[in-house]
Amino acid sequence: DLKVDPVSVAGFILHEDQSKFKLANSAANLFIYTVNGIESDSSDDEPMLIVIPLPAAGMTPKQLGNMMVSSMEKHGLTNIKVTSQTTGRVNGYETYEAVILGDIKGRQSLNYQFVVVDGSKSVVFQGKAKSEYQTNIEEFRKLAKTIKFK
């Protein structure tokens, strides 16, 4: 039975040693990072970071970010308030970072978004935390900013 390391076939590299978030699971082209890589039965309340490689399709990081927020709205995020957003460069790549407050199933949730574009490739990071907002944002950011495209 041949096991393939999902990260080895991803088009990017992240340095997990820089953050408390470690790869917990992957499915198709989606990578889920949780605290110490542990999946919990009450995962709805646990902070997590989802990493999704996507074609950039000629869009800027901010355009991709806005598209992902629309998708989050379709999946139940309401009362959306962008509390901060910046564009810039990380490791030579164009980036967009946003911190978004919103409600999911009636509970406030902090959502972290980091979008990186390298030519025709992009990677979207979407973090979710329902507590310890500042600590979790810093940990999401630490992992996201280690990205290198292969």
Side-chain angles (χ1 to χ4, degrees):
D1 199 16
L2 182 63
K3 285 265 189 206
V4 176
D5 173 12
V7 177
S8 70
V9 295
F12 60 90
I13 296 168
L14 296 175
H15 295 284
E16 292 182 15
D17 59 331
Q18 302 294 309
S19 169
K20 70 179 181 181
F21 286 92
K22 315 288 182 222
L23 183 65
N25 205 339
S26 68
N29 208 21
L30 182 122
F31 303 87
I32 300 169
Y33 290 79
T34 61
V35 175
N36 298 318
I38 298 166
E39 287 189 276
S40 125
D41 293 336
S42 62
S43 62
D44 224 26
D45 288 337
E46 298 298 320
M48 69 167 53
L49 182 65
I50 297 173
V51 181
I52 313 159
L54 294 170
M59 288 193 272
T60 66
K62 185 173 182 177
Q63 289 169 323
L64 281 164
N66 289 339
M67 181 183 81
M68 296 306 287
V69 169
S70 293
S71 174
M72 290 161 62
E73 259 184 305
K74 287 181 186 134
H75 288 93
L77 187 68
T78 60
N79 299 323
I80 296 169
K81 180 181 177 213
V82 177
T83 61
S84 71
Q85 58 181 331
T86 58
T87 56
R89 293 187 87 73
V90 169
N91 301 328
Y93 311 119
E94 273 188 273
T95 62
Y96 171 72
E97 182 180 59
V99 175
I100 303 154
L101 281 174
D103 295 335
I104 297 174
K105 297 178 187 166
R107 285 191 56 205
Q108 189 173 63
S109 174
L110 173 126
N111 299 276
Y112 171 78
Q113 185 179 71
F114 188 71
V115 182
V116 186
V117 172
D118 182 30
S120 63
K121 300 177 288 191
S122 78
V123 175
V124 175
F125 294 78
Q126 293 203 142
K128 174 187 72 127
K130 293 188 177 173
S131 63
E132 298 178 23
Y133 293 164
Q134 204 52 47
T135 301
N136 284 309
I137 284 178
E138 286 309 315
E139 291 294 324
F140 293 150
R141 190 175 276 141
K142 284 180 194 174
L143 182 60
K145 292 193 173 183
T146 69
I147 189 162
K148 295 252 187 338
F149 285 94
K150 292 182 181 173

